[in-house]
Amino acid sequence: MTDGLRLTVLGSGYLGITHAACMASLGFDVLGVDTDGRKVDQLNAGRLPIYEPGLEELLREGLDAGRVRFTTSHAQAAAFGDVHFICTGTPQQTGSDHADLSQVNSCVAALAPLLDGPCLVVGKSTVPVGTARRLAAELSQACPGAELAWNPEFLREGSAVADTLAPDRIVVGVTSGRAEQILRQVYARPLAGGAALIVTSLETAELAKAAANAFLATKISFINAMAEICEAAGGDVRDLAQILGADPRIGPAFLRAGLGYGGGCLPKDIRAFVARAEELGAGASLAFLREVDAINLRRRARTADLAHELAGGNLTGVPVCVLGAAFKPGSDDVRDSPALDVAQILTGMGARVTVYDPAALDNARRARPELSYAPTLADAAQGAHVVLLLTEWQEFTALTPGSLGGIVARRNIIDARNVLDPVLWREAGWEYRALGVAEDAADRARQDASPW
Ligand code: UDX
């Protein structure tokens, strides 16, 4: 089924490792390339530098079967591969909203002169529209037999393996039927499993990723804007989200109001999309995404204000427990983490903050060494005057008012992900606050429901 195609995967971040291991599990011979020799050694030894359920097992299976290995040599990659996947990162540029394309550019610059026969180079990284067309020209100049295609990746952290092996859709931006045929071969198994194939231009393929992330971020910020209105008007955003989500035209996904989105993709991709639109003279079309970003960041400030309020209007020296450092549960990623941002804001307001997370403590320590961390939930909550639930790990959603009540010094809790039962916590004597739920909305709803 693989027709003997040999694949290389350039870049061993989240995307690259997942793609390499998944392609090997589909039966391809895969060579992963990264300039970081330490990472290459680690991967060849079957150890993941990231936390992703199921991925380490898949990597080990590939290594054991001799289907995947990693190298630092672009020359080896050029000699090995029929199809070369570019999976390098495109972080936000320091000091600007634009994407930093240096890794993608240097990867193509390193590979292109070494290619000497027909092959397909496939971009998977998230790039500003127009990048693929430029790279295609550079590539064909360096090696006339080499062709470029763009094939964006929509995987989510925490379900990266399933998203790669059984995606909803596979988007291929191509400039020839030959490139399409090769990509049909590469993705034969997921296509046979029901994934939709959309064949399009290079530009539309690049835009597909930016637009999908922009839509998801807009949905989250929409419900968080409704949360702000609920707070002002005395509503309950959880009920509102349920009502909206029951309309099949809207759908319930990505309507969880709370502290908003973070991570290595949505925040920087939205900003880069706006920056690129402005460059193209189409800034007005995406101006609303600036508000999407602003709503998202306002939730962080609002959460800190709630803590300030619960601490009686002064956080100086107040012991505060922050539950969560990862940008979402099921991940150890702290890039643009709303939880860590709130911890930082509270520290700036004078609070004595202690952070606990079941998986992301090491990364959090590296990213924000100035914050204090505890190895267990109980250690973090010991003597706290205010507890903030900022990432909805199961360990936190399973908390009971009684168990936590025995550890803290004062019963104040902020449920910034709307995952706890307000009635239960209030009945146990806790001052409970949530985002998008007016203080007395839950009690009022219960009274309204009463036949008396
Ligand atoms: C996202 C996209 O989903 C994926 O398709 C793309 O390839 C990369 O970016 P990921 O960053 O892994 O994936 O996280 P995702 O599960 O989308 O969540 C993003 C953020 O939104 C998280 O911080 C999460 O907590 C938040 N979120 C999500 C909400 O606040 N409310 C929701 O209803 C859903």
Side-chain angles (χ1 to χ4, degrees), residues 153-157 209 213 216 220 224 253-257 259-266 327-329 338 392 417:
E153 179 56 58
F154 302 99
L155 66 79
R156 291 159 299 173
E157 295 188 17
K209 177 62 184 277
N213 277 353
L216 294 173
I220 299 170
N224 283 334
F254 274 67
L255 282 185
R256 290 195 320 274
L259 190 50
Y261 61 82
C265 291
L266 295 191
F327 83 102
K328 68 172 185 182
E392 65 276 35
R417 294 291 178 180

